[in-house]
Amino acid sequence: MRFLISLALLLCLSYDALAVPAPSRPQRKGRSFKVDRIRRRVAHGPSALRKAYAKYGIVPTHFGLDLLDFEPIDPHQSSSTAVDDVAQPAETGAVSASAVQGGAEFVSPVTIGGQKVVMDFDTGSSDMWVISTNSPAAAQQGHTVFDPAKSTTFKTLDGATFNITYGDQSFANGIVGMDTVDIGGATVTNQAIGLPTQLSQTFIEDTASNGLVGLAFSNINTVRPQQQKTFFDNVAASLDEPVMTASLKADGTGVYEFGTIDQTKFQGNMVNVSVDPTNGFWQFQSAEFAVGNGALQQITTAPTAIADTGTTLMLSSPEVVMAYYSQVQGAVLANGVGGFIYPCNTQLPDLSVAVGGETLATIPGSLLTFSQVGVNTTTGQPVCFGGLQSNQGSSLQIYGDVFLKSMFVVFDKRGPSLGFASPA
Ligand SMILES: *[C@@H]1O[C@H](CO)[C@@H](O)[C@H](O)[C@H]1NC(C)=O
Ligand SMILES: *[C@@H]1O[C@H](CO)[C@@H](O)[C@H](O)[C@H]1NC(C)=O
Ligand SMILES: *[C@@H]1O[C@H](CO)[C@@H](O)[C@H](O)[C@H]1NC(C)=O
């Protein structure tokens, strides 16, 4: 799989007259840290889509078909609860964890007050919280639970609370403490951590992750009365460069690295795109697209996008999604699964979207199938769920893992900005 990704990548078809020059950066030695990302084994498209809609409060309006000849796979039956232990070699901060059934997020190990817990890295939110001994008993079940009493460095942040709502059903709230957080060797001694006393069912059931590490901008952190900084903001000053890179692979593994841009992880030019942090997100201009070798078209509904590691799919403006699936043989919008599906043997076209004003990033068609979602009962053929789905006309496009996996991405506090390049 890995080789295929590198070969299939077609990033940076510049549609400006000039290609973006390669940044010249001195090779520096110093503080940088990496943490491997561990995949969860079973990914279920419709659940991933529902989760994304919930996170951003998107209300889906389906005008799809009720298909009589389509039998969806029941995610609770089909996906085994087998634990998939993937130990990854790492140069700094050795890492291993488990992947379990359920949604489709990627998780990585984090050490809080000396206790190792597997958490979801989320560049789409700015609160760090972990299921703890303060959480309801039902929420502790099946989770690795952080115990503040067993940490010699934990301090309660008196009077502080956090309350994060990702959408109608998805939330966590409770008290806040400070502790030492170590992510792959990058350490913050006074990191604010939410200890939820209330959690939505989605987080309780999601035993593959024990909390979130919010890596968006601190202006949307929900701790009150005194807003707190994200791990990334706290660690930035001690890093060689104030960057976090995401090198995510199509096979579900990957690496997050803090403090350095590893020149061996990408090839060709890196595009530096300016970020508007006003809304708290890694938000950038993305106002054009093309399907396959087709003409460039405008994105008018939401010409901006956010880079969100905490979202599985790529959620684009409706005009992008309609234009794309009009080029996919046998594609239908299915009510039963809430998104576009098509026969798995269909060859998908590439999709190019603008990153900033000068560059198109191309996601190869081979990376745009998300998962098998059922079978066609007429033909017996497997039916697949698309990795590209609609943002239902909301004001942001959410470029999640399906998009991010096709490139090497730098989350850069300078600017702030995002760097995009073709993976090595
Ligand atoms: C959290 O915020 C929501 C509104 O976003 C509010 O309805 C809820 O009561 C708050 N919960 C707590 C425990 O403060
Ligand atoms: C199932 O196959 C039939 C016959 O090829 C086709 O008309 C129908 O659209 C397919 N349904 C789905 C959900 O792909
Ligand atoms: C990207 O641009 C910003 C602002 O223009 C600059 O500070 C930063 O160093 C650049 N990043 C890279 C990786 O070149």
Side-chain angles (χ1 to χ4, degrees):
M1 267 312 263
R2 292 198 181 193
F3 318 117
L4 283 177
I5 313 157
S6 340
L7 293 175
L9 272 156
L10 304 161
L11 191 76
C12 305
L13 305 174
S14 179
Y15 61 88
D16 203 10
L18 291 170
V20 180
S24 57
R25 211 175 298 101
Q27 278 288 68
R28 279 191 272 171
K29 282 192 184 146
R31 285 169 61 75
S32 71
F33 308 91
K34 68 181 184 184
V35 58
D36 290 319
R37 189 182 209 234
I38 291 132
R39 69 176 165 140
R40 297 174 60 174
R41 175 185 263 170
V42 179
H44 186 248
S47 313
L49 187 59
R50 273 194 298 276
K51 195 174 163 193
Y53 285 164
K55 178 174 178 183
Y56 290 100
I58 294 171
V59 181
T61 47
H62 296 310
F63 301 102
L65 307 168
D66 288 307
L67 300 165
L68 297 172
D69 59 0
F70 170 63
E71 181 72 48
I73 293 170
D74 177 354
H76 297 290
Q77 286 211 331
S78 67
S79 56
S80 68
T81 46
V83 171
D84 179 14
D85 279 301
V86 193
Q88 309 292 335
E91 279 164 16
T92 326
V95 156
S96 77
S98 46
V100 223
Q101 73 96 26
E105 76 206 342
F106 292 77
V107 291
S108 299
V110 173
T111 304
I112 306 173
Q115 299 168 42
K116 194 187 252 190
V117 280
V118 171
M119 297 172 77
D120 193 359
F121 282 29
D122 183 15
T123 60
S125 69
S126 301
D127 282 53
M128 177 168 177
W129 60 264
V130 63
I131 293 179
S132 76
T133 48
N134 301 67
S135 302
Q140 295 184 41
Q141 192 102 39
H143 285 274
T144 306
V145 175
F146 171 67
D147 185 353
K150 293 207 179 111
S151 166
T152 55
T153 40
F154 182 86
K155 293 184 292 282
T156 303
L157 193 58
D158 284 328
T161 56
F162 81 106
N163 180 5
I164 185 152
T165 311
Y166 301 96
D168 288 344
Q169 307 126 331
S170 185
F171 62 84
N173 58 59
I175 60 168
V176 181
M178 294 286 212
D179 209 338
T180 302
V181 171
D182 177 327
I183 298 181
T187 303
V188 170
T189 47
N190 275 300
Q191 176 61 45
I193 302 151
L195 306 181
T197 47
Q198 288 191 305
L199 284 140
S200 58
Q201 202 59 29
T202 43
F203 290 123
I204 293 173
E205 285 168 5
D206 180 8
T207 50
S209 174
N210 305 294
L212 260 68
V213 182
L215 297 164
F217 292 88
S218 296
N219 62 337
I220 55 169
N221 175 271
T222 77
V223 177
R224 298 291 179 271
Q226 181 88 56
Q227 195 170 49
Q228 299 293 315
K229 285 187 183 166
T230 63
F231 174 84
F232 192 8
D233 269 345
N234 282 326
V235 83
S238 66
L239 298 174
D240 210 27
E241 293 181 83
V243 297
M244 179 188 80
T245 66
S247 187
L248 311 176
K249 308 286 184 198
D251 69 1
T253 63
V255 179
Y256 286 111
E257 207 159 349
F258 287 90
T260 191
I261 300 170
D262 183 346
Q263 305 286 325
T264 67
K265 290 245 161 51
F266 67 95
Q267 52 180 310
N269 297 334
M270 181 176 291
V271 193
N272 189 337
V273 170
S274 112
V275 162
D276 175 2
T278 316
N279 295 320
F281 298 124
W282 291 93
Q283 185 177 332
F284 59 99
Q285 192 189 331
S286 184
E288 275 116 318
F289 75 102
V291 180
N293 295 322
L296 261 193
Q297 302 179 56
Q298 297 295 312
I299 303 175
T300 50
T301 314
T304 58
I306 64 171
D308 183 6
T309 59
T311 290
T312 307
L313 304 174
M314 176 172 185
L315 305 185
S316 293
S317 283
E319 60 266 33
V320 179
V321 178
M322 297 306 286
Y324 185 79
Y325 287 107
S326 73
Q327 302 297 310
V328 176
Q329 189 94 41
V332 281
L333 176 56
N335 273 336
V337 289
F340 275 95
I341 57 175
Y342 44 82
C344 292
N345 61 8
T346 298
Q347 191 93 34
L348 295 180
D350 298 343
L351 173 69
S352 300
V353 293
V355 290
E358 290 168 5
T359 312
L360 281 184
T362 300
I363 306 138
S366 59
L367 293 185
L368 278 160
T369 284
F370 185 63
S371 63
Q372 190 189 332
V373 76
V375 287
N376 184 321
T377 50
T378 305
T379 62
Q381 293 300 308
V383 175
C384 275
F385 190 80
L388 172 74
Q389 299 290 348
S390 173
N391 73 348
Q392 304 284 341
S394 79
S395 59
L396 280 178
Q397 304 183 92
I398 300 149
Y399 291 178
D401 295 337
V402 164
F403 169 82
L404 298 170
K405 279 190 297 199
S406 69
M407 52 201 90
F408 175 75
V409 186
V410 182
F411 295 83
D412 194 336
K413 290 279 173 193
R414 295 166 301 196
S417 59
L418 280 165
F420 295 103
S422 192

